[in-house]
Amino acid sequence: MTTAAPMILLVDDDEFQLEMIHAQLVGLGYERVICATSGAAALVHLQAQGPNIVAIVCDLSMPDMDGLALIRHLAQLGSAAGIILLSGAQGAILQSAARLVGAHGMHLLGVLAKPCSTEQLQNLLTGLQPPRVQIDHDDVPELTPERLAQALASGEFIPWYQPKVDARNGRVVGVEALARWPTVASGMIGPARFVPAMEAAGLADELFFTMAQQTARDLAFWHRQHLLIKVALNLSMDTALNLTVPERLLRIINAVGLQPSDFIIEVTESQLMVDRALTMESLTRLSLMGFALSIDDFGTGYSSLVQLIDLPFMELKIDGSFVRRASTEQKAQSVLRMAILLGNNLDMQVVAEGVETLEQLEFVRSSGGHMVQGYYFARPMPLVACTDFLLHHLSLNGVLQ
C-alpha cells in the first residue's frame, strides 16, 4: 500500500504565530503544512490524514483544548508523529510538558520557547524519523495463543544483540540479547506488542528458553572466534517464578560447552515484587550456580534499595530516561550521579543505558559509570551484523570513541 507525501501539522490559536511558523516551515522545504487553530480541529486533520502526518508542532496554551489535552488524545489515537512543543512559558513548565509526551510513549522532537527561529525549527525537525509504511490490516497477524505457539515452534523469534561498551576505555565487553520477531508479510513486530501477548498466553517461559538456546549457540560460536564476551539475557518475573528455570537454563548452556559465568541475567526492577519469596529463591539459586544478576531499568520502580540489599545483584543498569534527561535537567544529573555512586559503593558494575551522544558518554564517564549501552555506539542488530561488529572492534583491539 502506498502513502501520500508526509505532512506537518501546526496547531496554534494565535493566527499571527500560526502564519509566521507556517512561513518558516515552507521556507525550510516542508510544503505540506496543515494549520489548525484549536486542538479539536487538529484531531479532525489527524483522523483524516493518519500516518501521513509525521510531525506536530503544538502550542501548549490554547482555549478549550490545550496542548496537554491534545497530547493525551494523540496518544489514544496511537499517533506516531514527532512532537514539537511551543510555549511562552519557561523552565520547569516546559520540562514537565516534555516529560508528559514521553510518559504517553510518544516521540518528542523538542521544546521551543516563543518566538522560535527558523534555525531552531530546522534543528528539531532533523530528528524526524521516516514515516511508517502503512500495512494492510490483513497482513498484521492476530496474536492468538495458537499463532504465538506456531511462531515459537517454527523459530520465528530470534535474538538481536546490542553491544555494551566499557565507558573508561571504549572497548566492547558484552552484548544484550533482545527478542525480535521479523515476519515476511508484516515486517518487524516489536516486543512491546508480542511480549504481553506471550505472557497472557502462558508462553513467556518458552520465549525465554527459545532466546536462551539461540543465544547460547551464538555465544559458543563467538567464543570459537576468540570473541570472549558475555551475553545478558532478560528474565521476566513470570518466568523467574518458575522454580525449574535455573536447572533448565544450566542444561542449555552446558550443552554447548558454556559456563554460567558467561551470562548475565537481567531482571526489571519494577517486576521484583510480584512474589517476593519465590523471586528471592529463584534469583538466589541462579546466583549460586554462577550466573551474574543485573537489576535492569534501575530508578523506575518502587523498592530499589530494598532489592539491592536483599538480592545478590552484581550489576546495576540505570534506566536510559535518566541519561537522556541529564543532558538538559540538573535534577536528572544529580540522580544519575547518585545512582552511579550507589552502585560503586556496593561494588556493583554500573551500566548506563540509552547513551546517544558524546556529551552523555562523557557525563557518565566523569561520574564514575563503568559501562554504557545505546545508539551512540550501536543499535540492536542480528547475529551476522553483530559478528562483523565484534570482529572489527574486538579481534583488532578496536576502541570505540
Side-chain angles (χ1 to χ4, degrees):
M1 174 181 292
T2 60
T3 60
M7 300 175 177
I8 293 180
L9 176 59
L10 174 59
V11 190
D12 197 323
D13 66 312
D14 185 326
E15 293 187 6
F16 174 77
Q17 290 286 340
L18 199 69
E19 291 178 4
M20 184 179 70
I21 298 173
H22 179 272
Q24 289 173 319
L25 291 171
V26 172
L28 291 171
Y30 297 96
E31 297 181 355
R32 304 199 72 195
V33 180
I34 305 173
C35 294
T37 57
S38 69
L43 291 177
V44 171
H45 288 301
L46 188 77
Q47 290 171 329
Q49 297 298 337
N52 296 326
I53 296 176
V54 298
I56 300 171
V57 183
C58 175
D59 183 26
L60 282 179
S61 301
M62 295 184 293
D64 298 327
M65 182 189 296
D66 61 23
L68 301 180
L70 176 58
I71 290 167
R72 182 179 70 253
H73 285 290
L74 293 174
Q76 292 170 349
L77 290 172
S79 173
I83 307 295
I84 294 177
L85 299 178
L86 292 172
S87 179
Q90 300 293 326
I93 296 177
L94 283 178
Q95 291 179 3
S96 295
R99 288 194 289 269
L100 179 63
V101 175
H104 281 299
M106 304 183 71
H107 178 37
L108 178 69
L109 297 175
V111 295
L112 292 175
K114 289 183 177 182
C116 63
S117 69
T118 301
E119 182 180 4
Q120 288 174 318
L121 275 173
Q122 185 177 31
N123 289 339
L124 293 186
L125 289 169
T126 58
L128 272 176
Q129 300 297 318
R132 294 182 180 180
V133 177
Q134 191 170 349
I135 301 172
D136 289 326
H137 180 73
D138 292 343
D139 289 337
V140 180
E142 185 180 357
L143 302 189
T144 62
E146 294 76 18
R147 176 68 182 96
L148 294 169
Q150 177 191 24
L152 282 168
S154 58
E156 294 181 34
F157 294 95
I158 60 173
W160 282 30
Y161 300 98
Q162 186 174 35
K164 296 166 68 175
V165 177
D166 191 315
R168 297 158 291 189
N169 57 32
R171 298 188 185 280
V172 181
V173 293
V175 296
E176 179 181 0
L178 301 161
R180 293 294 184 263
W181 187 9
T183 67
V184 175
S186 305
M188 186 74 71
I189 300 175
R193 184 160 181 250
F194 68 74
V195 169
M198 284 283 187
E199 293 173 347
L203 295 171
D205 290 7
E206 291 310 308
L207 176 63
F208 173 75
F209 290 122
T210 295
M211 289 299 103
Q213 288 175 332
Q214 295 185 63
T215 298
R217 289 194 296 266
D218 293 347
L219 183 59
F221 166 74
W222 286 332
H223 280 196
R224 290 194 296 272
Q225 306 300 313
H226 305 290
L227 301 173
L228 303 180
I229 61 171
K230 295 186 178 185
V231 170
L233 288 170
N234 289 283
L235 180 67
S236 74
M237 276 301 96
D238 282 352
T239 302
L241 294 175
N242 180 347
L243 294 181
T244 68
V245 165
E247 287 77 12
R248 187 172 173 183
L249 180 58
L250 186 62
R251 288 196 298 270
I252 288 173
I253 67 168
N254 285 343
V256 294
L258 297 175
Q259 301 298 320
S261 57
D262 295 321
F263 291 85
I264 298 171
I265 306 300
E266 295 188 6
V267 184
T268 300
E269 175 195 352
S270 59
Q271 298 176 325
L272 287 171
M273 295 300 289
V274 174
D275 187 314
R276 186 166 180 77
L278 285 181
T279 298
M280 292 181 68
E281 179 178 348
S282 182
L283 295 183
T284 302
R285 181 172 286 112
L286 285 168
S287 183
L288 284 170
M289 289 179 173
F291 293 97
L293 299 183
S294 173
I295 183 166
D296 198 11
D297 295 338
F298 182 78
T300 60
Y302 303 98
S303 53
S304 310
L305 301 181
V306 172
Q307 312 303 349
L308 293 178
I309 294 172
D310 291 348
L311 291 166
F313 288 108
M314 300 176 63
E315 180 181 273
L316 183 152
K317 294 191 76 175
I318 301 173
D319 187 72
S321 63
F322 292 104
V323 176
R324 289 187 293 272
R325 290 169 60 179
S327 300
T328 58
E329 300 179 34
Q330 184 66 43
K331 288 183 179 180
Q333 291 180 6
S334 298
V335 170
L336 182 54
R337 285 196 188 96
M338 290 304 297
I340 292 173
L341 179 62
L342 175 64
N344 287 334
N345 286 343
L346 293 174
D347 293 325
M348 301 174 70
Q349 290 291 310
V350 180
V351 183
E353 298 182 286
V355 172
E356 299 179 352
T357 67
L358 177 60
E359 178 187 15
Q360 292 169 351
L361 170 62
E362 293 293 349
F363 184 83
V364 171
R365 180 184 289 158
S366 65
S367 300
H370 303 137
M371 288 178 280
V372 292
Q373 187 176 336
Y375 290 178
Y376 179 73
F377 295 105
R379 293 173 178 266
M381 59 190 107
L383 173 64
V384 173
C386 191
T387 301
D388 290 342
F389 181 95
L390 294 173
L391 285 170
H392 179 68
H393 292 290
L394 291 177
S395 65
L396 300 178
N397 291 320
V399 174
L400 296 172
Q401 298 296 335

